């Protein structure tokens, strides 16, 4: 069984006296249902799971229910022998976005306080937008991602002591030994091939066969494409979600790497705002990561956002390397110099930063150049640039130098990550191995990082 850090969050919530209902959101196939199921069965004598997507494909018992009394009656029809009281009964409502009326009903179920509830879903951002009665004050929404690199290490046998020592090295800016560095870098490269989707990781651990791993990744990518088609049909829109999703790898090979509106339909003069629904779906569903442009990198970065410049990354680096290299593992594992891995390294850094609670931005300036990522550093109230290097020229970064020379931006420090072992600081720039990105957690100025409460 794969270790997931979010399990502790779920268990702490279930053990707390909070009367708010937790909704775990995230892309399909990242392990939401499994994590809730494991915690729920362990902590509650009576565990009831209702999957609304499966119900819709079957008897549709819960489909047209809009009153809590009717919900209680139907629930007792399918799980009456497992329903007791709030202290020992957990009801898990899976795929809640499939029947949106239940998001409104959660408020009344919470007030009634008959059982303990937890839910999961995807596309919640879009679903809540279409709901007239949002359950203000009744739910906590927590985002879940696939396995990050730290969890991948644990899946490959790393213990808590080893992880703790690595974190200490990161915090104290200490270099690892050559032997430890080679071992970490080898596992990091395997992570680039496998990614963090649980089914792909389990297949890798069971078989160590890239063909089997790619089969899993192909199936998940097809599932994402199928979901987008269903969304288009359900909303009676001629959208181009699948087209934009399939364009992401090729866009990342461009120098600027950002989405170009005229390339979507090969139509000159096409406008970026024509595709807002497509972009919103890709990001809200969790199958793509958005990195938005900033020209004035002042803290907080969201105040300087440019709405019409956007980079999109696939949500999982394994899906990207599957598309780029298929069953050939040599470009990744052997670091072939003839192949530029820049887009792969940028993807995994975006994936890690987002999983650790960061909103993602990049610096774009026609005269001074482009810096891969900007994040808010709440500890020093400053923007923090991060430059990603996959080759040997990791000290060459003119755009980053230009950015740091501007005193108006007040940037305290920057980070360059690469394959190099040594950790050191040169002026405002800290150089470190790319695998240390697994410890770049957001110091969010809220009580519960990465959670937002309605």
């Amino acid at each position: 069984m794969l270790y997931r850090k979010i399990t502790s969050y779920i268990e702490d919530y279930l053990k707390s006296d909070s009367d708010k209902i937790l909704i775990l959101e995230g892309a399909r196939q990242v392990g939401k249902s499994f994590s809730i199921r494991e915690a729920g069965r362990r902590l509650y004598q009576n565990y009831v799971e209702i999957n609304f997507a499966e119900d819709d494909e079957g008897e549709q018992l819960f489909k047209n229910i809009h009153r809590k009394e009717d919900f209680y009656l139907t629930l007792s029809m399918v799980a009456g022998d497992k329903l007791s009281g709030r202290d020992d009964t957990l009801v898990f409502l899976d795929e809640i976005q499939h029947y949106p009326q239940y998001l409104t009903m959660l408020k009344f179920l919470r007030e009634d306080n008959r059982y303990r509830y937890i839910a999961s879903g995807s596309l919640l951002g879009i679903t809540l937008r279409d709901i007239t009665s949002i359950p203000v004050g009744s739910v906590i929404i927590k985002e879940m991602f696939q396995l990050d690199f730290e969890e991948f290490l644990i899946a490959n046998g790393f213990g808590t002591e080893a992880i703790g020592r690595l974190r200490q090295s990161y915090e104290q800016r200490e270099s690892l030994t050559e032997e430890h560095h080679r071992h970490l870098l080898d596992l990091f490269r395997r992570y680039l091939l496998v990614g963090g989707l649980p089914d792909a990781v389990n297949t890798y651990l069971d078989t160590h066969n890239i063909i089997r791993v790619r089969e899993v990744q192909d199936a998940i990518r097809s599932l994402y494409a199928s979901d987008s088609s269903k969304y288009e049909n359900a909303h009676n829109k001629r959208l181009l979600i699948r087209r934009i999703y399939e364009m992401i790898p090729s866009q990342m090979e461009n120098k600027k790497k950002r989405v170009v509106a005229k390339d979507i339909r090969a139509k000159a003069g096409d406008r970026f705002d024509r595709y807002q629904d497509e972009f919103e779906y890709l990001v809200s569903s969790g199958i793509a990561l958005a990195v938005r442009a900033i020209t004035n990198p002042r803290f907080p970065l969201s105040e300087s956002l440019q709405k019409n410049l956007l980079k999109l990354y696939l949500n999982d680096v394994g899906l990207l390397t599957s598309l780029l290299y298929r069953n050939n593992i040599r470009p990744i594992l052997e670091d072939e110099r003839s192949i530029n891995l820049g887009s792969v390294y940028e993807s995994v850094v975006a994936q890690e930063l987002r999983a650790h609670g960061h909103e993602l931005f990049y610096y774009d300036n026609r005269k001074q150049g482009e810096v891969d990522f900007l994040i808010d550093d709440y500890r020093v109230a400053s923007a923090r640039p991060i430059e990603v290097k996959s080759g040997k020229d990791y000290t060459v970064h003119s755009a980053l130098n230009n950015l740091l020379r501007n005193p108006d931006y007040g940037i305290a420090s920057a980070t360059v990550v690469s394959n190099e072992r040594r950790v050191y600081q040169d002026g405002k720039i800290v150089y470190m191995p790319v695998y240390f990105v697994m410890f770049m957690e957001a110091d969010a100025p809220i009580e519960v990082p990465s959670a937002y409460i309605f």
Side-chain angles (χ1 to χ4, degrees), residues 261 270-279 307-308:
D270 219 350
R271 295 175 57 85
F272 189 86
D273 55 11
R274 156 72 174 77
Y275 303 102
Q276 291 301 322
D277 286 343
E278 284 89 343
F279 297 146
K307 295 184 178 180
N308 290 334

Side-chain angles (χ1 to χ4, degrees), residues 173 395 397 400-401 404 413-414 416 422-431:
R173 296 181 181 175
T395 60
H397 35 65
L400 178 60
N401 295 339
L404 294 175
S413 65
V416 173
R422 193 159 69 96
V423 180
Y424 68 97
Q425 183 166 352
D426 183 7
K428 288 186 175 183
I429 302 176
V430 177
Y431 295 88

